[in-house]
Amino acid sequence: MTVDSSSTRQLTLPITGMTCVNCAATVERALCRTEGVAGASVNYATERAIVELSEEGATFEDLSVAVERVGYGVLQADPDELDDVEAAARRRELEDQTRKFWIGVGFAGPLFILSMARDFGFLGSWAYAHWVNWLMFVLASPVQVYVGWDYYVGGWKALRSGSANMDVLVALGSTVAFVYSVVVVVMLSVGSTLAGEHVYFETAALIITLIKLGKLLEVRAKGDTSEAIRELIGLQPDTARVVRQGVDYDIPISDVVVGDLLLVRPGERIPVDGEVVDGLSSIDESMLTGESMPVEKAPGDVVVGATMNKSGAFHFRATRVGADTALAQVIRLVQEVQGSKAPIQRLADQVAGIFVPIVIIVAVLTFFVWWVVVGADFSVALVRLVAVLVIACPCALGLATPTAVMVGTGRGARQGILFRSSEALQRVRRLGTVVFDKTGTLTRGEPEIRTVITLDSDEAELLRLAGSAELMSEHPLGEAVLREAQSRSLNLTKPSSFRAIPGRGVEAIIGGAEVLVGNQVLMSERDIDLTEFELAKESIVAGGATPLWVAIDGKADGVLGAADTLKEGSADAVQELKLEGLAVIMLTGDQNATAEAIASSIGIHEVRAEVLPHQKCDVIRELQADHVVAMVGDGINDAPALAQADVGIAIGTGTDVAIEAADVTLMGGDPRSVATALALSRATMRTIEQNLFWAFFYNVVLIPVAAGAFYSVTFLPMILRSLHPILAALAMALSSVTVVGNSLRLRRTDLR
């Protein structure tokens, strides 16, 4: 059991015993009926249930009882050990399925050979000797009882809970063939041919064995779809080298606490998140960001757990450990999105819910038509019934969506693209407009003061006052002013009063003087005359910089030119999105002339400038009238717009507030990842549609074939006129594998 750290009202339960999507639906209904549960979603592919609890809240024990009451189980383990427990459970299931499959082969193989030899006359005069029938019964019984036991148990669970699943179809189909054959053998033993002379022991045994093969391949393939999670978990080192009282100790990573001083040598993975204390190195952060170039680290820089130290040794102070590390949060987010249901899956769930009962009715009608209406032999009608039951198992339908989501989101995680939900993954594909914030998104977010123009004061005094006013500011432009003042070793004074004015600037009292630092809007609101700086402003804007005005005691005293550097991939990102047919817009609080100059340099022709933070939502809302809109941003002031947009995309290097408000997080901060996220969404949804088409097509086409609807169409090959139950079982087994295999292709799909 795991608990979502972002909300204590959500539980994740690992479910055991599910064999198809109808099982998942049964568990989901049982959980939703439990008192204290606000909602539940059960994913067959991940074998997990995500349960939303109401204020009263059901306990873990209550939920376990509800699941067990309908015939399934819940793995119990400490949150830290859950992944290991689930992995062990999957290994046991794989071993069990493998053992039963080979036992099935060991008995069904000779049985099939014996049956074929009889049918083709290879057994001579004793082909229909009574003891041959009893030998076939002996060979078929272990397969029917031992190998097929899972289907009887699963079918009984489903029927007991008032539903029907794949196990019901398999159990019915194989049992009908087996029991009929037993009746024939018994009747022949007493000298009666009333029930016929042909037995179908090989059919019953091979149905179970082939479907067991499909289940075995499905279990293996499902394991491959969760490879991304295993890779991420495997990145975390088992031990950390802690420095205590000047001595290095290797301790389990679980024993590291916040504040510990840790040593990392070249070639080692960083155990937890922290801040460099001393030493220089370059860090490979590709596991987190998807970017291959190492990042230089110096004292004061942040390092992330599980990233690789490439060169020098360094000491760092642990700041986040255990479930709070960036890696743990990434793993948790990927697990949550893989456990969620995409809207497109609802159709498959609705179809699967009524599919099995309809198939049973169709199978009975098929038997009736062939035996009563057509007048075929009882055994012929029976074979048709069994073929319909076996061919219609809805396994592929249940795997079509979740396997593609698992592989797609796992692929994204390896490239530093995190989707918050499968719904977001689906929605990205429909984007028509992408709106970019400027600072920190298209630019590096590290502006520099390149121009200082004064009126009455000298440059140093102007910068001293401006830098002092920005001492408590967190705005990138304010930090640029502060860095420039500090670089000149100016004696800064802590403000006796300070106020940040969102979207405008700051005001502060420095040594009794009122200092304003901000944009033209702030100056206009305070009735400060900027006429004398008009030429200076035009010069700054022409250079693609942002004018930052400084006023002292109500009078303009100077203007600073702050320029940010464009990110390397900004122009490429805009070009890629345009090639995909999307409209690209820049949305910024910067003044219009500066924004236009920057936008033009990277190919953006529509700019919304001088927009205050609260106005960004209005712009997004306006654009949503015509298109599905994505907002890409990184700052606190972008959070409302990210939440308003159809798809909020946060630059991972930005603030936690922005990331929390977003549907997609780009861990590396490269704007080109927006196009990659779009390509991944489209590839994943295309794969889901292919899977669903195959699953529906398979059942729509082959059920009539199995029922013998095309028997009189003589120009068709016999396999399409009369589908034998053995071939039906093989087709059913391969359908699930085909769907999962198609999903796995996403790991190699070109996203550029």
Side-chain angles (χ1 to χ4, degrees), residues 33 50 67 73 115 166 187 205 271 334 389 438 468 551 594 625 669 677 703:
R33 288 195 299 262
I50 298 177
V67 173
S115 176
M166 145 193 164
M187 294 293 286
V334 175
L389 290 173
K438 178 177 71 71
S468 299
T594 303
I703 287 178

Side-chain angles (χ1 to χ4, degrees), residues 13-330:
L13 307 178
I15 308 297
T16 62
M18 296 190 298
T19 58
C20 71
V21 66
N22 285 24
C23 300
T26 299
V27 175
E28 191 170 294
R29 285 194 299 270
L31 289 169
C32 288
R33 288 195 299 262
T34 304
E35 187 175 354
V37 173
S41 175
V42 180
N43 191 312
Y44 168 56
T46 61
E47 298 180 326
R48 287 188 174 190
I50 298 177
V51 185
E52 296 289 340
L53 303 179
S54 60
E55 289 185 7
E56 303 82 40
T59 65
F60 175 74
E61 289 70 26
D62 295 333
L63 300 174
S64 298
V65 169
V67 173
E68 291 166 2
R69 191 178 294 122
V70 293
Y72 303 91
V74 178
L75 282 178
Q76 300 192 31
D78 293 333
D80 295 337
E81 300 175 355
L82 181 58
D83 290 308
D84 293 334
V85 172
E86 285 187 309
R90 283 193 294 270
R91 285 195 299 271
R92 287 194 300 271
E93 182 184 12
L94 184 60
E95 291 169 0
D96 181 63
Q97 298 293 342
T98 302
R99 180 177 62 255
K100 288 181 177 178
F101 167 69
W102 285 113
I103 290 174
V105 170
F107 286 95
L111 182 59
F112 178 73
I113 294 171
L114 185 61
S115 176
M116 291 297 100
R118 166 189 274 186
D119 292 343
F120 287 99
F122 297 148
L123 297 182
S125 60
W126 51 274
Y128 290 93
H130 196 53
W131 68 268
V132 176
N133 287 331
W134 282 108
L135 175 60
M136 296 176 86
F137 167 75
V138 170
L139 289 171
S141 295
V143 181
Q144 196 71 34
V145 176
Y146 177 71
V147 181
W149 184 250
D150 296 344
Y151 303 115
Y152 288 107
V153 172
W156 170 245
K157 290 178 182 177
L159 293 173
R160 192 177 65 179
S161 64
S163 63
N165 61 6
M166 145 193 164
D167 294 330
V168 173
L169 296 181
V170 175
L172 274 176
S174 63
T175 301
V176 167
F178 182 82
V179 171
Y180 171 76
S181 300
V182 172
V183 171
V184 170
V185 172
V186 172
M187 294 293 286
L188 290 175
S189 297
V190 299
S192 173
T193 59
L194 185 63
E197 297 182 12
H198 195 87
V199 294
Y200 295 97
F201 287 118
E202 84 287 351
T203 298
L206 282 169
I207 284 173
I208 290 175
T209 302
L210 288 172
I211 291 176
K212 187 62 68 177
L213 170 63
K215 189 66 179 177
L216 172 61
L217 295 174
E218 178 189 313
V219 171
R220 287 182 173 175
K222 282 166 65 177
D224 291 339
T225 62
S226 58
E227 181 184 353
I229 293 288
R230 293 197 303 273
E231 287 180 356
L232 289 170
I233 294 173
L235 292 174
Q236 179 116 17
D238 297 324
T239 62
R241 188 171 294 106
V242 64
V243 181
R244 293 174 179 169
Q245 298 179 342
V247 181
D248 300 348
Y249 298 95
D250 285 338
I251 62 173
I253 194 168
S254 57
D255 292 344
V256 178
V257 298
V258 173
D260 274 343
L261 183 66
L262 302 166
L263 171 65
V264 183
R265 297 189 176 109
E268 295 179 343
R269 289 198 179 274
I270 298 168
V272 297
D273 298 356
E275 183 177 307
V276 178
V277 175
D278 63 71
L280 301 172
S281 187
S282 58
I283 308 296
D284 179 359
E285 296 183 341
S286 58
M287 54 75 54
L288 187 69
T289 66
E291 299 175 4
S292 58
M293 291 297 295
V295 180
E296 300 298 323
K297 299 291 182 180
D301 289 337
V302 173
V303 291
V304 180
T307 56
M308 178 67 73
N309 183 27
K310 301 293 289 185
S311 55
F314 63 90
H315 291 95
F316 75 98
R317 189 78 61 185
T319 56
R320 293 193 292 185
V321 301
D324 295 328
T325 64
L327 177 64
Q329 294 178 44
V330 169

Side-chain angles (χ1 to χ4, degrees), residues 512-551:
E514 182 188 54
V515 180
L516 294 176
V517 184
N519 58 21
Q520 191 164 340
V521 175
L522 176 62
M523 300 299 145
S524 297
E525 291 177 349
R526 300 299 177 89
D527 295 322
I528 295 174
D529 185 13
L530 303 177
T531 306
E532 295 183 76
F533 292 97
E534 191 62 34
L535 291 177
K537 169 194 157 184
E538 291 177 0
S539 174
I540 290 171
V541 171
T546 300
L548 201 60
W549 309 94
V550 182

Side-chain angles (χ1 to χ4, degrees), residues 669-723:
D670 188 342
R672 287 174 293 190
S673 295
V674 176
T676 305
L678 174 64
L680 181 59
S681 172
R682 288 179 173 177
T684 303
M685 296 311 302
R686 187 165 56 248
T687 299
I688 290 173
E689 289 165 353
Q690 292 168 352
N691 288 348
L692 288 174
F693 172 81
W694 164 249
F696 281 117
F697 176 83
Y698 160 83
N699 284 301
V700 168
V701 172
L702 292 187
I703 287 178
V705 172
F710 305 117
Y711 187 76
S712 60
V713 185
T714 56
F715 63 84
L716 291 175
M718 183 54 67
I719 193 173
L720 294 179
R721 296 171 57 199
S722 179
L723 186 65

Side-chain angles (χ1 to χ4, degrees), residues 312-534:
F314 63 90
H315 291 95
F316 75 98
R317 189 78 61 185
T319 56
R320 293 193 292 185
V321 301
D324 295 328
T325 64
L327 177 64
Q329 294 178 44
V330 169
I331 292 172
R332 184 165 58 248
L333 189 59
V334 175
Q335 288 174 332
E336 287 176 3
V337 69
Q338 292 186 347
S340 65
K341 287 187 179 181
I344 197 173
Q345 190 175 339
R346 294 168 189 159
L347 173 63
D349 289 349
Q350 291 170 354
V351 172
I354 61 172
F355 190 74
V356 174
I358 291 175
V359 167
I360 294 174
I361 294 171
V362 171
V364 172
L365 288 175
T366 298
F367 175 82
F368 178 81
V369 169
W370 278 94
W371 190 35
V372 178
V373 180
V374 178
D377 290 343
F378 181 88
S379 61
V380 172
L382 190 74
V383 167
R384 300 288 189 205
L385 179 146
V386 173
V388 170
L389 290 173
V390 173
I391 199 69
C393 293
C395 298
L397 199 60
L399 293 168
T401 298
T403 54
V405 170
M406 290 173 69
V407 178
T409 54
R411 172 81 182 275
R414 285 195 292 269
Q415 295 189 246
I417 302 170
L418 301 180
F419 294 90
R420 188 166 293 277
S421 67
S422 52
E423 184 177 359
L425 176 66
Q426 180 174 335
R427 204 183 305 128
V428 169
R429 178 183 65 165
R430 298 188 290 110
L431 288 177
T433 299
V434 178
V435 180
F436 282 98
D437 171 53
K438 178 177 71 71
T439 305
T441 303
L442 293 172
T443 66
R444 296 187 180 278
E446 299 176 357
E448 301 175 347
I449 301 300
R450 296 182 180 178
T451 307
V452 181
I453 300 174
T454 66
L455 187 63
D456 298 327
S457 310
D458 59 32
E459 283 191 13
E461 181 61 15
L462 184 75
L463 274 173
R464 188 188 73 81
L465 291 170
S468 299
E470 298 284 5
L471 270 172
M472 302 173 68
S473 173
E474 294 183 354
H475 194 280
L477 290 177
E479 292 175 350
V481 174
L482 181 59
R483 284 195 301 272
E484 180 65 20
Q486 291 173 332
S487 70
R488 301 191 184 195
S489 302
L490 301 177
N491 186 25
L492 303 181
T493 303
K494 185 178 180 180
S496 57
S497 173
F498 171 84
R499 183 165 77 97
I501 307 170
R504 290 166 172 78
V506 300
E507 63 176 346
I509 304 298
I510 312 293
E514 182 188 54
V515 180
L516 294 176
V517 184
N519 58 21
Q520 191 164 340
V521 175
L522 176 62
M523 300 299 145
S524 297
E525 291 177 349
R526 300 299 177 89
D527 295 322
I528 295 174
D529 185 13
L530 303 177
T531 306
E532 295 183 76
F533 292 97
E534 191 62 34

Side-chain angles (χ1 to χ4, degrees), residues 438 521 585-597 599 606-612 615-616 619:
K438 178 177 71 71
V521 175
I585 299 173
M586 178 190 287
L587 183 63
T588 178
D590 208 345
Q591 70 172 35
N592 190 68
T594 303
E596 289 279 3
E606 184 174 353
V607 177
R608 305 289 183 93
E610 300 179 13
V611 180
L612 298 177
Q615 295 174 326
K616 290 187 176 182
V619 174

